[in-house]
Amino acid sequence: MALKDMWLSTDFRTAFPMGVFLLGNIEAVTEFNQDRSAPKRHQLDFDRDGNGTGKRLWKATIMDPTGGKAAQASFDVVFVSDHQPVPSTPEISPGLRPIELEGLMLKPKVVGNGEFKSIGWNIRATGIVGDNSGAKVNQPAASKAA
């Protein structure tokens, strides 16, 4: 089925009408290695068939105030970006800051066990609105072609 690896683009305010809060820090997604003494390698955006953007993956936990139950109020989002996204908003409490996701993409998944299954979402974004860390600096056309 062609739709199994399809990501759905959506507007941030449609998916999260009250916004979201970043809990803690954004960290690199690392590849699993059985050798614990080996250096950690940053995971890149490629699937088993080698398809993908080749950009680095970053992971953060976010909280949705409209989530309802505790298990549905927080979840992970994966950022697909060459550079670590940096939020520009101030913390409203230690480790808690409001953010708005750019390039939001969703993919449905089945969550739960046995007869208690439901639909959940894999969530990806390309960045954070207001990020002025240099990750979004436009590169000259000549360097993009290289």
Side-chain angles (χ1 to χ4, degrees):
M1 175 181 230
L3 296 177
K4 70 177 181 151
D5 292 325
M6 185 173 152
W7 287 89
L8 308 170
S9 296
T10 187
D11 178 61
F12 176 76
R13 288 291 168 189
T14 301
F16 304 106
M18 292 180 63
V20 295
F21 297 96
L22 175 65
L23 301 173
N25 297 318
I26 299 171
E27 298 180 3
V29 177
T30 56
E31 293 180 356
F32 174 76
N33 191 337
Q34 290 183 341
D35 182 5
R36 293 179 186 234
S37 62
K40 293 185 178 186
R41 291 182 48 187
H42 203 124
Q43 187 172 349
L44 302 178
D45 180 33
F46 289 117
D47 63 10
R48 288 179 285 242
D49 299 326
N51 300 320
T53 64
K55 295 182 183 241
R56 294 179 177 189
L57 299 178
W58 309 87
K59 190 174 189 179
T61 302
I62 60 173
M63 183 180 73
D64 179 9
T66 62
K69 298 178 183 177
Q72 299 167 340
S74 69
F75 41 88
D76 291 332
V77 62
V78 174
F79 292 96
V80 181
S81 173
D82 287 328
H83 302 281
Q84 181 178 8
V86 178
S88 61
T89 55
E91 289 183 328
I92 57 173
S93 182
L96 183 69
R97 64 178 75 221
I99 61 169
E100 185 173 335
L101 304 173
E102 286 185 333
L104 183 62
M105 297 172 284
L106 307 171
K107 182 162 85 169
K109 65 179 179 178
V110 176
V111 295
N113 294 319
E115 58 190 67
F116 301 104
K117 292 182 181 174
S118 62
I119 295 177
W121 299 94
N122 287 320
I123 302 171
R124 283 188 166 193
T126 57
I128 298 174
V129 171
D131 180 0
N132 56 6
S133 66
K136 295 183 187 176
V137 175
N138 291 333
Q139 297 180 7
S143 66
K144 286 184 181 178

